[in-house]
Amino acid sequence: MDSLFTVMADPEFSNWERAALWSVLGTAVLGLLYAVFLAAQMLRKDQGTEAMRKISEAIRIGANAYLVQQFKTMLLLIFVLTGLLYFTAGEQHIKIGRAAAFILGAGFSWLVGFVGMNLAVQGNVRVAAASRTSFAEALKIAYRTGTITGMLTDGLGLLGGTLIFMIYGEQAYEVLLGFGFGGTLLALFMRVGGGIYTKAADVGADLVGKLEKDIPEDDPRNAATIADNVGDNVGDCAGMAADIFESYEVTIVAAMILGWASFGHKGVIFPLLVRAIGVVSSIIGTYLVRTSEEARAAMKAIHMGYATSAVVSIVGFVVVGFYYLRFPAGEMLPGWISLGVDGLDMRPVWTTLVGIALAISINYLTDYFTAPEKNPVQFVARATQTGHATTIINGFAVGLESSVWSILVIALAIFGSFLIYQGTNPTYIAYGVAMCGIGMLTLTGNNISMDVFGPVADNANGIGEMAHLDKKARQTLADLDAVGNTTKAITKGIAIGSAVIAAVSLFNAYITDIARFTGQTYEAIVPLLSISEPMVFIGFLIGGSIPFLFSSMTIRAVGRAAFLIVQEVREQFKDKAIWEGTKKPDYARVVGICTSEAQRELIGPGLLAVLAPVIVGMLLHKEALGGFLAGIILSGQLLAVFMSNAGGAWDNAKKFIEDGHYGGKGSDAHKASITGDTVGDPLKDTAGPALNPLIKVMNMVSLLILPFVVAHQEGNLFVWLVVLASIAILAVVIYRSKQESPAVLKWQAAIDKASTV
């Protein structure tokens, strides 16, 4: 066993540290066992009537078919990248390790999404069944269904990072890059593909069903209803789970890289211990989430569970830090805080607590800008009384303002981490920021529980409407759906914030790597990346533009796919029997359209994320690549928060009106709110969330190609061939993103022909 686990045989590690690592590994397994326990508990619940089970089964089949097809689409690219990672690494065992870790990271990311989504579509029908008798029971089932995915994320992320460190020890850094890259790349694909699928179906269903036909959202006569419910799962369950999972991976990678460079093995083991404490605290906090039969108590119960987990985590961090973070007097940093105990440095603990404070702040900030009862959503809802245009204008205003406060909170957290390590080597400051990210994602189990709760409640609401449940059950499900909208918005804010902190940590790792590969000190490299340097500034401008191009590509894709859904639903409504409810629509046809269009649009944005850093690094060198990464982080964060919160505000303004305000359903205000919601859909559920993995993929690619960029700074024929090939591929990708699909052209030709007759 010791021959496999390098760390176990290393004399620098004490017996206590070896035991701690085994404990971390055991905690990861405990998190997975808790997920299995919750799954078994949920699967024993009542599934309701035969009609409810059939609807749920249709959603499950559609979601599985999409994810399997998506995996097949990505398989070739994963195979190619595995080969590249193998051949570009150094020593043989590192080559094997990095390639294997890439596959492991990608596999874990996909597994979290696939298994979590499957259990979510098992949970939705059980929530609908429970709604007939108890609001509290329905909420508990929905929340614990989400917790299954949360604990899978916690358990697999911690398991992978710990195993790699135990096997490779000091060289784990090289292998961890492969692990993090695998997770980020899969998350990008699942976010983009799932986002295109879900919003094409949602927009199509709303435009025809609500606006044109004035029928309820999940009316069984609407051919897009099943696809809409499938989309909730592949977008919000699978997509968000993979997204948070790769943030979880990337922050642990950055913390371990910078931890080794600053505190040695203590700097690596401490973040692993923090993550293990987070798993335990999430188990405690999520299991305690219970509510009364009053709908207004639901969010309070969820927040209470989150707060409980936070308190348990804080106590755990302080205790572990107090007993573990002891250093010989000669190794102490300037300005260390002794707490009256010689050799104790608690600064890694304080920066972790800054991360928890950041997560809670973003939680409440996002809630403020997207919750129906808060002023921003009320501001948007009031505008619906004066028309569609003012609804859009006010939603934009809310989204734009929210970006400012969000980035200020993140800046404050980074500044706090800097103050804690003020007067020390920049590497320690960078480690402090990385530990802030570790702290922020400590409550990953709670965050994903809240996120998956949203689509589970949404699906349950749809099942309730399509299965014609009684009025009391329908109100219970509508109340759960409204809570789910808020929890989804909150977790999007957490995901975006964690992406920025993770990217900043990776950016610091990038500087550390330049120093390592050039033989210079960290302090000597920092001035080379000054924004006053022309090449750095050029890279900064290019990097800042990429999130806009990426968002354009993904939003165009939603528009094209929604066009097809609208036409298909209109065509099916021409069948009198479908309209009268005596014949079932062809749900499978709409599911097929969404699947094929999402797959068609999947690879382009991924190639942009991988190839853009390659072109900048090879053509403009390492300094420009550093500026490029800074530009992506800044504009990506601002744009992601704007789109997510504007979309969330439009969505909940619509829900507010549907609750009976300003004329309620069917009123002019309601129609204006539907326009706002459909405009916001691709922003909040496709382009905005997909920017999170985009930022991290580009940072990971930059770290992976950096040795090659440094080694070929002068350029040669091979470099020029790589650059020209990458530019050619991107040119094709961008051109293709602007072209209509054959299916759209076919529909358009038929429309044009009919209009000229």
Side-chain angles (χ1 to χ4, degrees), residues 59-410:
I59 295 169
R60 188 185 65 80
I61 291 170
N64 279 339
Y66 169 76
L67 281 189
V68 170
Q69 186 59 42
Q70 178 176 261
F71 187 73
K72 291 178 181 177
T73 303
M74 299 182 298
L75 209 53
L76 177 60
L77 184 59
I78 291 171
F79 177 76
V80 171
L81 288 172
T82 301
L84 288 173
L85 287 172
Y86 177 84
F87 288 111
T88 55
E91 303 170 40
Q92 181 65 22
H93 72 293
I94 297 297
K95 286 182 176 183
I96 295 171
R98 182 183 284 186
F102 173 73
I103 294 172
L104 186 69
F108 278 4
S109 188
W110 188 80
L111 191 65
V112 165
F114 186 78
V115 175
M117 183 211 69
N118 266 281
L119 290 167
V121 296
Q122 298 267 17
N124 57 23
V125 69
R126 290 164 171 83
V127 173
S131 71
R132 297 173 300 174
T133 56
S134 169
F135 177 88
E137 180 66 12
L139 181 136
K140 187 169 77 171
I141 295 171
Y143 188 82
R144 290 189 178 177
T145 300
T147 304
I148 297 167
T149 308
M151 298 316 299
L152 283 174
T153 303
D154 258 345
L156 290 176
L158 187 58
L159 183 70
T162 307
L163 276 175
I164 289 170
F165 177 67
M166 291 176 72
I167 293 170
Y168 285 91
E170 188 175 351
Q171 293 181 305
Y173 157 74
E174 299 282 357
V175 179
L176 283 167
L177 285 177
F179 184 63
F181 183 44
T184 55
L185 190 66
L186 257 290
L188 178 64
F189 284 134
M190 295 183 83
R191 259 304 185 196
V192 170
I196 292 169
Y197 186 115
T198 183
K199 291 304 107 180
D202 195 1
V203 170
D206 280 358
L207 288 178
V208 182
K210 287 185 174 181
L211 277 181
E212 295 182 8
K213 298 297 184 180
D214 196 21
I215 60 176
E217 182 170 358
D218 291 298
D219 193 298
R221 293 172 293 175
N222 190 326
T225 51
I226 293 294
D228 186 10
N229 285 303
V230 170
D232 289 333
N233 291 288
V234 298
D236 280 317
C237 291
M240 175 61 93
D243 185 0
I244 294 285
F245 177 78
E246 53 100 10
S247 282
Y248 193 92
E249 284 184 0
V250 167
T251 50
I252 199 71
V253 168
M256 291 171 82
I257 291 169
L258 294 164
W260 192 276
S262 51
F263 286 102
H265 62 271
K266 283 183 183 287
V268 177
I269 292 176
F270 182 67
L272 290 174
L273 290 170
V274 167
R275 280 283 157 85
I277 292 166
V279 171
V280 174
S281 67
S282 285
I283 290 174
I284 295 170
T286 55
Y287 200 74
L288 291 177
V289 172
R290 291 175 174 82
T291 188
S292 66
E293 293 299 323
E294 295 184 14
R296 64 174 179 267
M299 268 319 291
K300 182 180 178 182
I302 292 171
H303 283 312
M304 185 61 69
Y306 196 91
T308 301
S309 293
V311 170
V312 172
S313 294
I314 290 168
V315 172
F317 300 160
V318 171
V319 171
V320 170
F322 185 81
Y323 284 103
Y324 180 56
L325 296 174
R326 308 294 179 97
F327 300 88
E331 295 180 17
M332 295 305 300
L333 302 177
W336 59 279
I337 302 169
S338 70
L339 298 180
V341 181
D342 291 338
L344 175 66
D345 192 336
M346 292 288 282
R347 279 178 290 195
V349 175
W350 307 146
T351 48
T352 303
L353 299 186
V354 169
I356 289 183
L358 174 59
I360 293 171
S361 299
I362 289 180
N363 187 322
Y364 282 99
L365 191 63
T366 309
D367 180 54
Y368 173 74
F369 280 102
T370 58
E373 68 277 7
K374 299 296 195 307
N375 285 334
V377 172
Q378 298 282 311
F379 173 66
V380 177
R382 283 194 297 273
T384 62
Q385 299 173 96
T386 52
H388 301 253
T390 49
T391 302
I392 301 298
I393 290 167
N394 284 16
F396 264 95
V398 167
L400 290 168
E401 183 192 352
S402 70
S403 286
V404 177
W405 298 114
S406 180
I407 207 163
L408 287 176
V409 167
I410 292 171

Side-chain angles (χ1 to χ4, degrees), residues 462-499:
I463 291 170
E465 188 167 307
M466 295 178 75
H468 306 293
L469 294 187
D470 62 77
K471 186 177 180 181
K472 179 179 178 294
R474 293 285 298 112
Q475 185 58 51
T476 292
L477 293 171
D479 290 339
L480 284 174
D481 193 11
V483 174
N485 275 336
T486 302
T487 60
K488 280 193 298 183
I490 288 170
T491 50
K492 283 185 177 70
I494 295 289
I496 295 166
S498 70

Side-chain angles (χ1 to χ4, degrees), residues 21 104 433 646:
L21 284 171
L104 186 69
V433 175

